[in-house]
Amino acid sequence: MPSDPGRSSPSPTVEIPGASRDEKKEVDDSNATTDIVVDFNGTDDPLNPRNWTKKKKWTATLVVSAFTFISPISSSMIAPASSQVADRFGVHDDVVIGMFTSIFVLAYAIGPLFLGPLSEIYGRNRIIQGANVWYLAWNTGCAWAQNTGQLLAFRFLAGLGGSAPLAVGGAVIGDIWEAEERGQALAIYALAPLLGPVVGPLAGAFVAEDSTWRWVFWSSSIADVAILALGVLYLRETYPPYLLEKKTRQIRKSLDAEKGPLRNVRSNLANEDRTWSRVIQIALTRPFILLYKEPVIQVLSLYMAYIYGLYYLFLTSMPLMFQGVYGESVGISGLHYLALGVGVLVAAQILGSLTDSVYNKLKAKNNGVTRPEYRVPLLIPGAIALPVGLFVTGWSVQAKVHWIVPDIGIALVGGSIILSFQAIQLIVVDMFAFYAASALACVSFLRSIFGFGFPLFAQQMYRKLGYGKGDTILAVIAIVIGCPAPWLLWAYGPQLRARSKFAKQPT
């Protein structure tokens, strides 16, 4: 075929074994080295997690949620048995007693900084499964602790492993679901870290009352073995750059075996950051860069940190409320965690049914353009319900009215927290796309610091101020932080994203 004047003749096409039609490249007659860019094979490539069947997607979602469920159970399960542990080890300091529960949450602040970026090198699945084995070993070790130092150290190390699903799970949901579909999936996933701390103390109260505090750890380890088995059987890798890199290595190996002229084979999603030397730098810098440079992350992280701190404050102070004020036994006082659970479950169901419909309606009004800000309206109900629940709980306990009234307030607090928690997770995943793991690590870091710190001053605050004044102060802070947040994100979110080098732009 004659060539046009001034243009080189077309190069022959080279068939690449194991590659898709999109991965065929041309080389010139001199056999010069040519880059091969490896991508997914169209819109029906089963290697792409977005193309998985609904059954496979929901299986992965539920397994990741199970991992995310067992770790928070362990974080709070010891709360009702803290007095037993204190008596066994001769501890009388309220701060140390609070640390029996909250030091596990402190590890949530450290683990995601490394586990999130590591998942972008070694894949989500390896990190979740490997970290779970680490958690299982140290959680079992807690049952054998012989002194306060051992128990606190083992709890912290178990929390490091337990933080992996919190750091990576939301990114897994983002990997496998389209933005228009992921609302319900993320609603179920986000339910786990809030429902787990409710189930933990409820079960822990009866376990501690009928046996010893050591069985609190043994029982949670037994449950984790079952979840670990589900992960091995059903959880598969979901991170697209890792999957394409694996495919790239296979193609490169086949070309080397044939000794062909093509050598430069690279993934379409290749990232120079995905090296061991860079991951440490990323782990120590990127989440804090996001926190420093991204106003959206600043607002969402602060609000989530506050509500998460309140959540663990309630988890550790409820035994004080119902055993101290109402004179109930350990087991009976643990039943009041059901109020928190009911609020979480009801709100999660409401949010799950509305999340995608609200998003899709707003998308339709904007001519099919997707925006992360379409998740913002979901923040409004939680911002209103939280201070109301705090007022009801605090003043009803202060007046020692019938226990059903503080339980209603506790349910409102639980419901408001899950509404805000899920909405924030959705906004972060939608807005930061491929940086979702690092963005979630940033959010997780600050909220875990608050989750660790709030229980340490709960008992002193309520003893000095009483439940009415104490919860009123907490409610006022919730109003100051929470109420402006939805308006600010809705009004200024697009402009802030436009100036960000990390945020995803509308599509």
Side-chain angles (χ1 to χ4, degrees):
M1 181 177 181
S3 60
D4 294 334
R7 295 182 59 186
S8 61
S9 59
S11 305
T13 299
V14 177
E15 186 81 24
I16 301 171
S20 68
R21 287 175 295 179
D22 295 334
E23 293 152 7
K24 298 174 184 177
K25 298 294 175 181
E26 296 182 342
V27 293
D28 60 24
D29 293 331
S30 63
N31 289 332
T33 301
T34 304
D35 284 350
I36 300 172
V37 180
V38 180
D39 203 347
F40 291 118
N41 186 16
T43 58
D44 57 352
D45 186 352
L47 183 64
N48 187 347
R50 294 281 177 92
N51 297 330
W52 287 357
T53 63
K54 286 292 181 66
K55 180 180 179 181
K56 190 172 182 180
K57 288 183 179 182
W58 277 112
T59 300
T61 299
L62 293 175
V63 171
V64 169
S65 299
F67 278 111
T68 313
F69 182 62
I70 189 63
S71 175
I73 283 179
S74 293
S75 74
S76 61
M77 198 170 179
I78 193 63
S82 293
S83 59
Q84 284 189 15
V85 180
D87 291 342
R88 171 64 179 81
F89 295 143
V91 178
H92 304 289
D93 189 331
D94 288 340
V95 173
V96 176
I97 294 172
M99 286 180 67
F100 289 150
T101 299
S102 66
I103 197 168
F104 193 98
V105 185
L106 178 62
Y108 284 176
I110 309 297
L113 296 178
F114 297 93
L115 296 174
L118 279 172
S119 75
E120 296 169 1
I121 291 181
Y122 299 109
R124 318 287 198 203
N125 191 28
R126 286 184 180 181
I127 297 302
I128 290 178
Q129 303 270 28
N132 185 258
V133 173
W134 175 276
Y135 153 78
L136 176 63
W138 291 110
N139 188 67
T140 304
C142 290
W144 300 99
Q146 299 302 310
N147 54 57
T148 302
Q150 287 182 5
L151 181 60
L152 292 176
F154 294 168
R155 286 277 288 164
F156 180 79
L157 291 169
L160 289 177
S163 69
L166 300 173
V168 180
V172 171
I173 305 301
D175 290 341
I176 63 180
W177 295 96
E178 298 287 352
E180 298 83 357
E181 304 174 313
R182 73 172 62 115
Q184 288 188 342
L186 200 54
I188 292 174
Y189 163 77
L191 179 64
L194 294 179
L195 190 59
V198 174
V199 175
L202 178 61
F206 286 101
V207 169
E209 191 172 56
D210 294 337
S211 56
T212 71
W213 61 270
R214 297 185 187 274
W215 264 103
V216 169
F217 299 106
W218 285 328
S219 59
S220 56
S221 291
I222 291 170
D224 184 60
V225 170
I227 294 173
L228 185 61
L230 290 176
V232 172
L233 291 173
Y234 298 111
L235 191 59
R236 297 295 177 263
E237 185 52 54
T238 64
Y239 188 51
Y242 179 83
L243 292 170
L244 286 181
E245 184 62 34
K246 185 177 180 180
K247 183 178 180 180
T248 299
R249 288 196 297 268
Q250 293 173 345
I251 294 174
R252 189 181 295 124
K253 183 178 180 180
S254 68
L255 290 175
D256 288 342
E258 295 178 359
K259 298 181 180 179
L262 302 174
R263 293 294 181 269
N264 295 335
V265 186
R266 61 183 176 84
S267 163
N268 184 46
L269 299 177
N271 188 340
E272 64 179 8
D273 288 346
R274 294 178 67 243
T275 62
W276 176 256
S277 60
R278 284 285 291 160
V279 74
I280 301 300
Q281 180 181 356
I282 291 170
L284 294 175
T285 58
R286 183 183 287 167
F288 298 101
I289 290 172
L290 288 168
L291 185 60
Y292 177 72
K293 291 187 175 182
E294 300 289 339
V296 173
I297 288 290
Q298 293 167 4
V299 173
L300 294 179
S301 295
L302 180 61
Y303 188 43
M304 179 178 275
Y306 184 70
I307 63 175
Y308 199 69
L310 284 179
Y311 196 60
Y312 273 88
L313 183 146
F314 262 70
L315 290 171
T316 56
S317 63
M318 283 173 63
L320 183 66
M321 290 182 191
F322 294 103
Q323 293 175 33
V325 177
Y326 290 88
E328 297 176 348
S329 66
V330 174
I332 296 301
S333 67
L335 291 175
H336 293 280
Y337 287 101
L338 287 172
L340 201 60
V342 168
V344 168
L345 284 172
V346 171
Q349 292 300 314
I350 294 173
L351 188 65
S353 63
L354 292 177
T355 297
D356 290 333
S357 61
V358 170
Y359 184 90
N360 290 326
K361 285 180 181 179
L362 291 172
K363 176 184 174 182
K365 288 183 179 180
N366 199 32
N367 299 319
V369 177
T370 62
R371 296 183 186 275
E373 289 78 22
Y374 297 161
R375 309 290 190 185
V376 170
L378 302 175
L379 281 172
I380 298 173
I384 296 171
L386 180 57
V388 174
L390 288 168
F391 282 127
V392 171
T393 303
W395 289 108
S396 60
V397 173
Q398 185 74 31
K400 202 178 178 179
V401 300
H402 191 275
W403 56 262
I404 194 63
V405 180
D407 275 4
I408 292 172
I410 291 169
L412 285 172
V413 170
S416 65
I417 288 174
I418 189 65
L419 289 172
S420 300
F421 195 93
Q422 289 181 342
I424 291 170
Q425 292 258 59
L426 284 165
I427 294 169
V428 170
V429 171
D430 284 359
M431 187 170 289
F432 293 95
F434 282 121
Y435 298 103
S438 294
L440 290 172
C442 170
V443 173
S444 178
F445 173 81
L446 198 59
R447 83 174 186 223
S448 299
I449 293 295
F450 278 53
F452 165 72
F454 273 43
L456 302 184
F457 67 76
Q459 294 192 28
Q460 296 92 323
M461 179 185 72
Y462 286 133
R463 283 173 181 164
K464 290 182 178 179
L465 299 178
Y467 289 97
K469 291 182 180 179
D471 281 355
T472 297
I473 292 173
L474 297 175
V476 170
I477 297 173
I479 292 171
V480 171
I481 299 175
C483 291
W487 178 81
L488 291 172
L489 291 173
W490 184 264
Y492 299 105
Q495 297 95 308
L496 295 173
R497 272 191 298 106
R499 295 200 297 264
S500 171
K501 73 174 186 176
F502 296 104
K504 177 183 176 181
Q505 300 305 316
T507 58

XYZ file of all heavy atoms in Angstrom, residues 49-102:
416
model
N -13.194 -5.624 38.372
C -14.206 -5.844 39.426
C -15.527 -5.135 39.158
O -16.568 -5.579 39.658
C -13.525 -5.287 40.673
C -12.073 -5.344 40.385
C -11.940 -5.086 38.914
N -15.511 -4.051 38.391
C -16.762 -3.362 38.071
C -17.664 -4.223 37.184
O -18.871 -3.968 37.081
C -16.469 -2.039 37.358
C -15.741 -1.009 38.236
C -16.702 -0.311 39.171
N -16.017 0.629 40.053
C -15.837 1.915 39.786
N -16.280 2.414 38.641
N -15.217 2.694 40.642
N -17.088 -5.245 36.526
C -17.856 -6.119 35.640
C -18.272 -7.423 36.312
O -18.840 -8.299 35.654
C -17.039 -6.448 34.382
C -16.725 -5.215 33.558
O -17.483 -4.260 33.543
N -15.592 -5.231 32.868
N -17.975 -7.583 37.575
C -18.407 -8.785 38.279
C -19.929 -8.875 38.297
O -20.630 -7.861 38.171
C -17.917 -8.755 39.728
C -16.448 -8.999 39.894
C -15.539 -9.291 38.922
C -15.709 -8.963 41.122
N -14.286 -9.430 39.465
C -14.362 -9.233 40.822
C -16.054 -8.712 42.449
C -13.368 -9.278 41.790
C -15.067 -8.748 43.422
C -13.733 -9.035 43.094
N -20.431 -10.078 38.499
C -21.872 -10.249 38.652
C -22.324 -9.611 39.963
O -21.519 -9.414 40.890
C -22.241 -11.735 38.668
O -21.638 -12.353 39.815
C -21.754 -12.426 37.397
N -23.597 -9.282 40.044
C -24.127 -8.702 41.275
C -23.906 -9.645 42.463
O -23.602 -9.198 43.577
C -25.629 -8.406 41.113
C -25.944 -7.198 40.249
C -25.503 -5.919 40.942
C -25.826 -4.684 40.113
N -27.276 -4.456 39.959
N -24.051 -10.944 42.221
C -23.864 -11.919 43.298
C -22.439 -11.853 43.835
O -22.219 -11.851 45.059
C -24.171 -13.323 42.781
C -23.995 -14.412 43.840
C -24.320 -15.787 43.274
C -24.105 -16.869 44.331
N -24.392 -18.221 43.777
N -21.465 -11.788 42.930
C -20.066 -11.742 43.357
C -19.751 -10.421 44.064
O -19.008 -10.385 45.045
C -19.154 -11.935 42.150
C -17.689 -12.141 42.508
C -16.872 -12.510 41.288
C -15.406 -12.769 41.671
N -14.587 -13.143 40.496
N -20.341 -9.329 43.570
C -20.120 -8.031 44.209
C -20.690 -8.019 45.624
O -20.039 -7.543 46.566
C -20.765 -6.915 43.383
C -20.051 -6.592 42.082
C -20.731 -5.432 41.378
C -20.022 -5.065 40.090
N -20.650 -3.901 39.415
N -21.902 -8.535 45.778
C -22.518 -8.519 47.101
C -21.811 -9.483 48.055
O -21.721 -9.214 49.262
C -24.003 -8.856 47.005
C -24.838 -7.671 46.654
C -25.536 -7.440 45.507
C -25.040 -6.511 47.475
N -26.157 -6.223 45.547
C -25.881 -5.627 46.751
C -24.598 -6.127 48.734
C -26.280 -4.396 47.247
C -24.998 -4.895 49.237
C -25.824 -4.051 48.494
N -21.309 -10.596 47.522
C -20.540 -11.513 48.369
C -19.301 -10.827 48.913
O -19.002 -10.899 50.109
C -20.140 -12.766 47.570
O -21.320 -13.441 47.113
C -19.322 -13.713 48.433
N -18.571 -10.133 48.034
C -17.377 -9.410 48.469
C -17.737 -8.315 49.477
O -17.037 -8.122 50.479
C -16.665 -8.799 47.263
N -18.836 -7.609 49.212
C -19.272 -6.545 50.128
C -19.587 -7.094 51.513
O -19.181 -6.524 52.536
C -20.509 -5.837 49.555
O -20.176 -5.244 48.293
C -21.016 -4.761 50.497
N -20.298 -8.212 51.561
C -20.689 -8.784 52.845
C -19.494 -9.363 53.603
O -19.416 -9.251 54.833
C -21.756 -9.867 52.628
C -23.112 -9.357 52.113
C -24.047 -10.526 51.816
C -23.755 -8.410 53.120
N -18.545 -9.959 52.879
C -17.362 -10.510 53.545
C -16.512 -9.384 54.124
O -16.050 -9.460 55.274
C -16.547 -11.377 52.569
C -15.205 -11.766 53.204
C -17.314 -12.633 52.191
N -16.311 -8.313 53.347
C -15.543 -7.169 53.858
C -16.262 -6.555 55.057
O -15.629 -6.160 56.047
C -15.345 -6.125 52.750
C -14.791 -4.820 53.315
C -14.390 -6.656 51.696
N -17.584 -6.487 54.996
C -18.359 -5.945 56.117
C -18.210 -6.824 57.357
O -18.190 -6.319 58.487
C -19.832 -5.819 55.733
O -19.995 -4.935 54.645
N -18.106 -8.154 57.149
C -17.913 -9.059 58.282
C -16.566 -8.808 58.960
O -16.459 -8.795 60.193
C -18.010 -10.512 57.824
N -15.523 -8.609 58.162
C -14.216 -8.255 58.726
C -14.312 -6.942 59.504
O -13.704 -6.784 60.574
C -13.180 -8.101 57.615
C -12.582 -9.401 57.144
C -12.862 -9.893 55.890
C -11.722 -10.120 57.963
C -12.306 -11.081 55.448
C -11.162 -11.308 57.532
C -11.454 -11.796 56.264
N -15.061 -5.993 58.949
C -15.196 -4.684 59.578
C -16.076 -4.753 60.825
O -16.012 -3.866 61.682
C -15.801 -3.684 58.573
O -15.122 -3.810 57.325
C -15.658 -2.252 59.057
N -16.871 -5.799 60.946
C -17.780 -5.970 62.069
C -17.071 -6.546 63.299
O -17.263 -6.088 64.425
C -18.927 -6.888 61.643
C -19.974 -7.127 62.694
C -20.734 -6.080 63.198
C -20.223 -8.402 63.167
C -21.720 -6.292 64.160
C -21.202 -8.632 64.123
C -21.945 -7.583 64.617
N -16.197 -7.542 63.082
C -15.605 -8.255 64.216
C -14.603 -7.394 64.961
O -14.477 -7.475 66.188
C -14.944 -9.580 63.746
C -14.515 -10.422 64.942
C -13.777 -9.305 62.820
C -15.648 -10.880 65.821
N -13.883 -6.540 64.249
C -12.876 -5.711 64.910
C -13.497 -4.711 65.893
O -13.066 -4.628 67.052
C -12.028 -4.976 63.867
O -11.128 -4.092 64.467
N -14.526 -3.938 65.505
C -15.154 -3.044 66.486
C -15.842 -3.783 67.637
O -15.971 -3.224 68.728
C -16.175 -2.261 65.648
C -15.630 -2.303 64.265
C -15.008 -3.663 64.147
N -16.298 -5.011 67.388
C -16.826 -5.803 68.504
C -15.752 -5.945 69.577
O -15.989 -5.753 70.775
C -17.304 -7.184 68.015
C -18.660 -7.058 67.304
C -17.428 -8.164 69.180
C -19.196 -8.369 66.782
N -14.535 -6.278 69.133
C -13.432 -6.433 70.078
C -13.059 -5.114 70.742
O -12.615 -5.096 71.891
C -12.208 -7.002 69.364
O -12.443 -8.323 68.934
N -13.238 -4.021 70.005
C -12.837 -2.730 70.559
C -13.624 -2.372 71.803
O -13.101 -1.747 72.724
C -13.010 -1.630 69.495
O -14.381 -1.316 69.298
N -14.896 -2.768 71.847
C -15.765 -2.331 72.946
C -16.260 -3.464 73.837
O -16.878 -3.213 74.864
C -16.991 -1.608 72.376
O -17.728 -2.483 71.536
N -15.989 -4.711 73.467
C -16.554 -5.857 74.197
C -16.065 -5.913 75.636
O -16.757 -6.431 76.518
C -16.202 -7.154 73.468
C -17.046 -8.351 73.851
S -16.752 -9.744 72.739
C -17.839 -10.981 73.458
N -14.895 -5.357 75.881
C -14.330 -5.403 77.225
C -14.929 -4.334 78.137
O -14.762 -4.401 79.367
C -12.791 -5.226 77.143
C -12.118 -5.589 78.466
C -12.439 -3.792 76.744
C -12.281 -7.026 78.868
N -15.666 -3.357 77.581
C -16.150 -2.229 78.386
C -16.950 -2.661 79.616
O -16.671 -2.187 80.733
C -16.961 -1.273 77.509
N -17.949 -3.553 79.482
C -18.702 -3.930 80.686
C -17.878 -4.726 81.694
O -18.252 -4.799 82.871
C -19.850 -4.794 80.123
C -19.901 -4.498 78.674
C -18.504 -4.184 78.272
N -16.780 -5.339 81.226
C -15.947 -6.155 82.118
C -14.736 -5.393 82.630
O -13.866 -5.975 83.283
C -15.494 -7.412 81.381
N -14.663 -4.092 82.350
C -13.492 -3.310 82.762
C -13.289 -3.343 84.278
O -12.152 -3.367 84.761
C -13.635 -1.864 82.288
O -13.576 -1.781 80.889
N -14.388 -3.341 85.020
C -14.255 -3.380 86.489
C -13.643 -4.705 86.952
O -12.859 -4.727 87.905
C -15.623 -3.166 87.148
O -16.546 -4.162 86.736
N -13.995 -5.811 86.279
C -13.392 -7.095 86.611
C -11.886 -7.081 86.366
O -11.095 -7.568 87.176
C -14.019 -8.217 85.773
C -15.391 -8.652 86.210
C -15.838 -9.914 85.475
O -15.032 -10.601 84.857
N -17.128 -10.208 85.538
N -11.499 -6.525 85.197
C -10.081 -6.447 84.858
C -9.351 -5.567 85.869
O -8.244 -5.894 86.319
C -9.897 -5.895 83.430
C -8.418 -5.809 83.071
C -10.635 -6.754 82.417
N -9.974 -4.438 86.224
C -9.356 -3.525 87.191
C -9.155 -4.216 88.535
O -8.105 -4.066 89.181
C -10.221 -2.277 87.349
N -10.159 -4.978 88.987
C -10.017 -5.706 90.253
C -8.921 -6.761 90.166
O -8.148 -6.954 91.114
C -11.348 -6.377 90.612
C -12.427 -5.373 90.994
O -12.070 -4.223 91.314
O -13.615 -5.742 90.929
N -8.842 -7.434 89.025
C -7.836 -8.504 88.863
C -6.420 -7.947 88.902
O -5.516 -8.546 89.504
C -8.083 -9.220 87.530
C -6.993 -10.207 87.104
C -6.868 -11.378 88.073
N -5.852 -12.307 87.645
C -4.538 -12.163 87.841
N -4.097 -11.080 88.495
N -3.677 -13.066 87.426
N -6.207 -6.778 88.280
C -4.866 -6.214 88.201
C -4.630 -5.077 89.197
O -3.578 -4.437 89.182
C -4.582 -5.701 86.783
C -4.558 -6.792 85.743
C -5.077 -6.566 84.471
C -4.009 -8.028 86.025
C -5.049 -7.575 83.508
C -3.983 -9.043 85.072
C -4.507 -8.815 83.810
N -5.601 -4.808 90.064
C -5.451 -3.792 91.081
C -5.342 -2.379 90.535
O -4.557 -1.567 91.043
N -6.145 -2.054 89.534
C -6.116 -0.731 88.906
C -7.239 0.115 89.493
O -8.405 -0.325 89.539
C -6.283 -0.847 87.370
C -6.310 0.543 86.735
C -5.154 -1.672 86.778
N -6.928 1.354 89.904
C -7.927 2.242 90.479
C -8.040 3.570 89.742
O -8.927 4.368 90.054
C -7.599 2.510 91.954
C -7.474 1.260 92.781
N -8.559 0.479 93.114
C -6.374 0.624 93.296
C -8.154 -0.563 93.830
N -6.837 -0.501 93.947
N -7.170 3.803 88.778
C -7.162 5.046 88.010
C -8.216 4.976 86.901
O -8.197 4.057 86.066
C -5.772 5.263 87.396
C -5.621 6.646 86.776
O -6.631 7.212 86.323
O -4.480 7.157 86.730
N -9.161 5.948 86.887
C -10.226 5.948 85.883
C -9.680 6.026 84.458
O -10.254 5.433 83.529
C -11.176 7.129 86.122
C -12.051 6.932 87.345
O -12.202 5.771 87.777
O -12.576 7.931 87.863
N -8.580 6.755 84.265
C -8.004 6.894 82.923
C -7.487 5.545 82.422
O -7.724 5.153 81.280
C -6.873 7.948 82.911
C -6.167 7.971 81.562
C -7.446 9.323 83.222
N -6.789 4.818 83.257
C -6.260 3.505 82.869
C -7.402 2.537 82.599
O -7.359 1.755 81.632
C -5.316 2.951 83.954
C -4.838 1.546 83.580
C -4.122 3.871 84.136
N -8.434 2.583 83.427
C -9.593 1.713 83.208
C -10.241 2.031 81.863
O -10.633 1.131 81.110
C -10.609 1.866 84.358
C -9.996 1.337 85.662
C -11.904 1.124 84.045
C -10.844 1.606 86.892
N -10.350 3.321 81.536
C -10.879 3.704 80.235
C -10.011 3.231 79.083
O -10.504 2.901 78.001
N -8.701 3.163 79.324
C -7.783 2.724 78.283
C -7.918 1.240 77.964
O -7.537 0.809 76.873
C -6.341 3.043 78.671
C -5.996 4.518 78.565
S -4.276 4.854 79.022
C -3.409 4.015 77.691
N -8.446 0.439 78.885
C -8.686 -0.964 78.570
C -9.535 -1.083 77.297
O -9.343 -1.988 76.494
C -9.409 -1.668 79.732
C -8.566 -1.877 80.947
C -9.144 -1.903 82.205
C -7.191 -2.046 80.844
C -8.374 -2.099 83.343
C -6.408 -2.245 81.978
C -7.003 -2.267 83.232
N -10.473 -0.155 77.144
C -11.318 -0.138 75.947
C -10.702 0.700 74.838
O -10.555 0.240 73.699
C -12.710 0.421 76.295
O -13.328 -0.406 77.269
C -13.591 0.482 75.053
N -10.303 1.917 75.139
C -10.008 2.882 74.083
C -8.647 2.714 73.430
O -8.433 3.218 72.330
C -10.142 4.305 74.624
O -9.153 4.573 75.592
